[in-house]
Structure formats: structure tokens, C-alpha cells
Amino acid sequence: MTPTPDAAGLSPAEQAVSSMSLRERAASVVMGHIPTTDAAALRSYMESTDAGGFLLMGANIPADEAALEAITASLTVDPAHPPLIAIDQEGGDVSRLPWDDLPSPLELQQADPATVEAAYAGRSALVRQAGIPVNFGIVADVTADPDSFIHRRILGTTPDIAAAHVAAAVNGEKGKVFSTLKHFPGHGAAPGDSHSSIPSTAMPLDQWRATDALPFQAGVDAGAELLMFGHLAYTAVDPAPASLSPEWHRIARDELGFEGVTITDDLGMLQSSGLPEYADPVANAVNALAAGNDMLLTVVSSTPETAPQIVDGIVAAVESGAVPAERLEEASTRVMELRLAVAEAAGGELPCTTCTDPVE
């Protein structure tokens, strides 16, 4: 569905963002987290932070689906502008929903694309039934190394197989949840665990284009709405992690043609690397926004104070000119487009446990 511009030519998302204060815009690009299943505490968190999104982790998942629906409902303060509630429901090793018994990515690596599509259609239906509109579920990394940190979570051990399976996964999720491709530009080529280090590779850009780029390109072409940037350093392109790299954001936009929401992997992972240049969580968030991320994810060690501190940092950076106001406006508008699509698909009532119409 194509949004109808107003008399000034503004889309509904642009209209919504134009009426927001600087602080509201800054809050809208933060996806926060606190570890609790207390619905009242979660609602208070969303009311106090005005965060544009929330990531559900294992500590947020109750014993059954009905209780989870109550939790997702509590996160939605304003149904007209619902937050982007997300979950990492990959299946297999990374599974937040205990009732998901569908084939894991490891089991799907040798399957045909139709089987992959069916598995992700079923998995996304479970996610959406719980009132969760965003799944961080499609690992577009590729590696043939069985000892790799990411091996059990990928959909293919060669670029071509991974590309076909990633496209199938996006097609399976279509109409139920917003699809997210991760971890751009690819964890497979960069050995190590980005939860505790900054994995790096000297792979030249041309080699990346011919190999690790293919699953991401396939997912973008299939219509994935979000692209998650990893804390991965491809030093031949940029010594900085891709999550903090303007050049990798340019490549995603200009070369892959991605037009959706770019989001960081958990910014707390940068701190966990132990590197002094990433010790300041607020600076990491501001730099990630400046680099081109539309949404900033904070999970590890996140407290009720973390998101407001990041918002303060963004506001200060915009007021000082360190981050152009246009960059924040662009980011908050892209995020708002998805939020309005969630509201439209839900008919104004969230969580949407009976949605069948595509979210566009």
C-alpha cells in the first residue's frame, strides 16, 4: 500500500516526524531492553523512555503464548504509533520461543528452498501471533567452516546456497513479520565472536562482492525490511566495525540497493570487546547514528537508564552539530514508516494475533 502524501507533499511518516520534538525523534531511533516479564514494569519503561522499539530476549518470555501476548500489549503505549517490538527467533541455537519446534537453520542448510520457505513461514506465524512484528531471524552470513562461531546459525555453507535460502526465508516471512538480514557485511569471513571481540578480515571488497555479499543481496532483492550491521571489521574497506562505518552504509544503500531500516547489532557488544575506543556506550550510539544506522539497539547490560542516556547523547550531538539534524530526521522517518505499517496491519489494535494482510 502506498501512503498518501498531505497537501505539502509529506508522507504520513514525514508528517508524524515533523510534529516530534528533537528529544522525541532521538528516542524514536532507540530500541531498548530490560530483562523482566513484569508487564507493568515494561509499560512503565516504554512510557518513560518513549523508545521506538523493544527487543524481547529470553528474560522477557513467559511460559506460554497467552502470557507473551499480554507482555507485547503492555509495550504498546500508543497504538497509532506502536513501537517496533522485535525478537531473535532464528530457531535452533537462537530461539526465544520454547514452543518453536520447526527445523533449525542447521537442519535447513542442505534443504531445498521450498522447505526453507515453509519453515520460516511457520516460524514467522508464531512470532506474529504473539504480537511481535519484527523478527531478527534471518542469518545471511555464510561460511564453510564447521568450527566457525556462526556455522550452526547460517542457512548455507556456500554463497549460492545461502543466497537461495535467505531469499526463501524472506519470502516465508513476508506478510507476517518484517524480515531482518544479519550480520552485514557477513560474519563468516571474519573469524571470532562479536559478542566479546571485533572479528576482522582483510578480505578485499571485490572478493566480498563475489561471495559474502550474495546472501545479503538476495535478501534485499526479496524485500527484507531491515538490515542489521555487525560489529565486524573488513579492514580493506574500513578499519572501523561496519556498525560504525559510513562506507559500509553507503555500500548497502548504493550497491545493494537497500532502502529499509538499518539497525545496529547490540551496541553493548562493542563495550564487551574491551577495546578502550568503545568503552563509552553513548559515544558508540551517537557514532552509529552518524555512520548511517537508522535504529540503535541496546541489550547487554541495558538498564532503565541506558536508553535515556543514549537519547541525551543524541540530542546533545544534534544540538552541537556533531550529528546533522537531517541524519536524525532521515532515521526517525524510516523507523516511523515501519511503525505506521504495524499500526495499519493491526487495525489499531495491538498485539495483532490474527493478522493475515501483508505489512508493507
Side-chain angles (χ1 to χ4, degrees):
M1 180 175 182
T2 302
T4 303
D6 69 355
L10 298 178
S11 70
E14 290 169 333
Q15 294 173 47
V17 170
S18 68
S19 66
M20 297 166 74
S21 67
L22 171 57
R23 187 170 186 82
E24 288 171 334
R25 292 184 186 188
S28 77
V29 302
V30 176
M31 179 174 282
H33 168 80
I34 53 172
T36 181
T37 54
D38 184 332
L42 289 167
R43 187 168 190 85
S44 176
Y45 174 80
M46 297 304 286
E47 289 174 339
S48 64
T49 63
D50 205 20
F54 187 93
L55 178 62
L56 294 163
M57 297 290 284
N60 303 117
I61 307 301
D64 57 60
E65 290 180 271
L68 180 55
E69 290 171 24
I71 284 175
T72 55
S74 72
L75 292 166
T76 302
V77 177
D78 177 6
H81 301 95
L84 295 180
I85 303 170
I87 193 170
D88 290 301
Q89 190 58 31
E90 300 173 14
D93 289 4
V94 179
S95 182
R96 312 300 184 206
L97 303 180
W99 46 87
D100 179 355
D101 59 1
L102 291 157
S104 70
L106 182 63
E107 295 172 303
L108 294 168
Q109 286 176 10
Q110 305 304 319
D112 60 88
T115 301
V116 175
E117 182 172 341
Y120 277 79
R123 181 162 289 126
S124 61
L126 293 178
V127 170
R128 192 56 187 265
Q129 185 172 331
I132 304 167
V134 178
N135 190 21
F136 294 159
I138 301 177
V139 176
D141 309 315
V142 58
T143 179
D145 180 5
D147 295 323
S148 168
F149 154 75
I150 205 71
H151 173 75
R152 292 174 57 86
R153 298 166 58 192
I154 62 173
L155 284 168
T157 56
T158 69
D160 288 341
I161 292 175
H165 286 183
V166 165
V170 174
N171 287 331
E173 290 191 336
K174 196 165 294 179
K176 304 175 190 69
V177 297
F178 291 130
S179 295
T180 308
L181 308 175
K182 61 185 187 184
H183 310 80
F184 186 78
H187 216 307
D193 184 345
S194 57
H195 292 87
S196 56
S197 67
I198 306 296
S200 66
T201 176
M203 176 184 282
L205 183 57
D206 284 345
Q207 184 180 348
W208 173 82
R209 289 181 176 126
T211 56
D212 289 57
L214 299 185
F216 289 99
Q217 184 69 72
V220 169
D221 291 345
E225 293 88 356
L226 296 98
L227 181 63
M228 179 179 285
F229 279 66
H231 306 308
L232 314 168
Y234 279 63
T235 57
V237 178
D238 191 331
S243 54
L244 303 178
S245 168
E247 178 60 11
W248 275 115
H249 283 80
R250 184 201 65 78
I251 290 170
R253 299 292 186 192
D254 295 349
E255 296 193 18
L256 270 63
F258 182 68
E259 297 180 350
V261 169
T262 52
I263 184 168
T264 67
D265 203 346
D266 174 24
L267 288 169
M269 293 160 62
L270 286 172
Q271 287 174 271
S272 297
S273 72
L275 296 174
E277 59 265 42
Y278 306 127
D280 184 342
V282 175
N284 292 337
V286 169
N287 291 336
L289 177 65
N293 290 283
D294 299 319
M295 203 157 210
L296 312 171
L297 175 61
T298 173
V299 183
V300 174
S301 303
S302 182
T303 70
E305 290 73 42
T306 304
Q309 289 168 354
I310 290 174
V311 172
D312 288 342
I314 294 171
V315 169
V318 172
E319 288 179 339
S320 71
V323 173
E326 295 78 13
R327 170 80 274 271
L328 176 57
E329 180 180 9
E330 174 187 55
S332 54
T333 300
R334 286 203 187 102
V335 170
M336 183 58 70
E337 286 171 352
L338 291 193
R339 294 173 68 181
L340 293 178
V342 173
E344 182 179 356
E349 296 181 6
L350 295 175
C352 177
T353 58
T354 57
C355 286
T356 55
D357 294 334
V359 281
E360 300 178 326

